Amino acid sequence: MDFSIWALVVGALLITMVLAGSLLKRLPVSPAMLYLAVGFALGTAGWGLMTPNPRQMSGLLEPVAEIAVLISLFSVGLKLGLPLASPQWRLPLRLAFVSMALTVGLIAAVGFFLIGLPLGAAVLLGGILAPTDPVLASDVQVDEPGDRDRLRFSLTGEGGLNDGVAFPFVFLGLGLLGVHDLGAAGWRWLAIDVLWGLAGGLGIGALFGTMTGKLVVYLRTHHWQAVGLEEFLAIGLVALTYGVAQLAHALGFLAVFAAGLALQRVNQDSRSQAAPKDGPAGLQGKAAHLAVATHPDLAGAYMGQAVRGFNEQLERIAELVIVLVVGAMLSYTRVDWGTIGFVLLLLVVLRPLSVWIGLSGASVSGDQRLLISWFGIRGIGSIYYLMFALNHGLVGPLADEAITLTLTTVGVSIVVHGISVTPLMTRYARRTLGRSRR
């Protein structure tokens, strides 16, 4: 598509979201649904202005989706302000590890026994489709670091963690297909892809997030230096952390999420006060911002708020671009009763089953358990893993099957979850408020 057409479409969508954003929040319609519909209309099934063949465009779409996921994971880390010792962390950890592994296994079983995929392709499909999406799930995530709601915190933490946890399963699937080195008896996969990947990713992210945050706060409060350019700080920390983790063969997605968490911890350590909207009395403009940014009690909170705000804007732009392309790619799928049955099975049976087993015995209400089971939104993370697989050896009919199942699942998830999120979350908020008043 010509760049001028791209500019027209994206510009119109951005302005539409500004003008109609408040209205959409009250309706059972999500921004992603609008982007998906416009993308489909621009694709070969509509006006034919966009023709992003997944096979031919995978080399370009992989890094674009990768950047979108990285931005979102860092943003999620910045939102999770509860102390790591808080019992509420048990829920997202169980969802991201236990429920995630169960979902991969269940999808692999369906792929192997019902669809007839080879074992490697079935496991790969599980790795692609099991992670929930941190980009499209913003309506069910925490809004502020101090949000203690169990439902929102669990879904936010799960989305931040399981995009990285999915990578070992993707590697396992590719290895079983013969295009990734698993080592003798799988030792390399277990030692490098799983154990070191998880530990190294979390450790590298925590180290760089903490060091960067403390350095910036120190320079601002003691020397009145390194003030401003929070945009550079956000992008720089994401890029640096991800690059180091990837070169060290650790899981880069987990590293970026951990960097966001660590930066948030620095903000809390500096002082638990929120950054004020206005500077000290008598100061205006740049002088007021400088006074707040270098204040020993406020520097950390000011930095965190500025970085988080910039990152959230990037996240929304990335969502628009990726979902627009996903909508255009839907015309390359083969939708039949088998595909529809698989998607319904995943969303209505496999996801809820894995959540109920994973949260067995956890102290969550019935409403929270049901909503966590339902809001396993699939999206940009799955698109990235699909493109990664296509670029790393997934070919032929297996590639066609993966493209169809992944794109259809993501498209259906965007629609059904987008329709249901407003009424369900409104009902949940009312019931929660009602219980708190008793």
Side-chain angles (χ1 to χ4, degrees), residues 58-409:
S58 60
L60 173 62
L61 292 177
E62 180 188 342
V64 173
E66 189 172 17
I67 292 171
V69 174
L70 290 173
I71 292 170
S72 181
L73 291 176
F74 187 65
S75 181
V76 167
L78 291 171
K79 292 178 182 177
L80 296 172
L82 292 184
L84 297 179
S86 171
Q88 286 195 217
W89 273 103
R90 297 172 188 170
L91 297 180
L93 287 172
R94 291 172 70 168
L95 289 170
F97 288 92
V98 180
S99 296
M100 169 79 182
L102 287 171
T103 305
V104 173
L106 291 171
I107 293 175
V110 171
F112 183 76
F113 292 107
L114 298 184
I115 301 178
L117 296 174
L119 180 59
V123 173
L124 177 61
L125 183 65
I128 291 172
L129 289 176
T132 57
D133 194 81
V135 182
L136 303 179
S138 58
D139 289 332
V140 295
Q141 290 181 350
V142 297
D143 293 321
E144 296 293 336
D147 194 337
R148 294 178 176 270
D149 181 77
R150 282 181 177 272
L151 170 64
R152 292 183 178 276
F153 187 85
S154 298
L155 290 171
T156 305
E158 179 193 17
L161 285 165
N162 67 11
D163 264 23
V165 176
F167 236 128
F169 295 105
V170 172
F171 284 140
L172 178 60
L174 291 173
L176 293 174
L177 289 173
V179 293
H180 178 72
D181 182 17
L182 299 179
W187 74 266
R188 186 189 184 282
W189 174 77
L190 180 61
I192 303 299
D193 296 337
V194 180
L195 298 179
W196 165 245
L198 294 172
L202 292 173
I204 290 170
L207 176 64
F208 278 89
T210 301
M211 289 176 57
T212 303
K214 287 185 176 296
L215 177 61
V216 172
V217 171
Y218 173 79
L219 290 174
R220 290 183 177 185
T221 57
H222 288 75
H223 301 285
W224 300 277
Q225 300 295 320
V227 179
L229 295 180
E230 272 77 16
E231 300 85 354
F232 282 30
L233 176 62
I235 296 174
L237 181 55
V238 169
L240 178 64
T241 304
Y242 187 66
V244 171
Q246 290 294 96
L247 291 174
H249 301 288
L251 295 177
F253 283 175
L254 275 183
V256 169
F257 171 70
L261 274 178
L263 193 64
Q264 176 62 33
R265 299 281 87 72
V266 171
N267 300 340
Q268 290 182 338
D269 292 342
S270 63
R271 287 298 166 87
S272 59
Q273 301 182 38
K277 295 181 180 179
D278 300 316
L283 297 180
Q284 301 291 332
K286 291 184 178 180
H289 287 292
L290 180 62
V292 174
T294 58
H295 194 286
D297 293 341
L298 304 174
Y302 180 88
M303 176 184 67
Q305 181 174 298
V307 170
R308 190 168 62 251
F310 169 72
N311 221 66
E312 288 174 354
Q313 299 306 315
L314 282 182
E315 186 180 15
R316 286 177 172 81
I317 294 172
E319 174 190 356
L320 185 154
V321 173
I322 297 296
V323 177
L324 198 66
V325 175
V326 169
M329 289 194 296
L330 287 176
S331 58
Y332 292 92
T333 62
R334 183 201 72 256
V335 180
D336 52 27
W337 287 112
T339 303
I340 295 174
F342 171 83
V343 174
L344 292 177
L345 186 65
L346 171 59
L347 299 182
V348 180
V349 179
L350 304 188
R351 163 68 181 183
L353 180 60
S354 67
V355 168
W356 280 73
I357 295 175
L359 295 184
S360 177
S363 58
V364 291
S365 68
D367 284 351
Q368 291 170 338
R369 196 182 298 267
L370 284 171
L371 290 174
I372 291 172
S373 299
W374 173 241
F375 285 119
I377 302 173
R378 269 60 186 177
I380 296 176
S382 294
I383 298 300
Y384 166 73
Y385 282 122
L386 172 64
M387 297 305 155
F388 180 88
L390 292 176
N391 288 330
H392 291 80
L394 185 64
V395 295
L398 294 179
D400 293 334
E401 191 71 24
I403 289 170
T404 291
L405 294 176
T406 302
L407 292 179
T408 305
T409 299

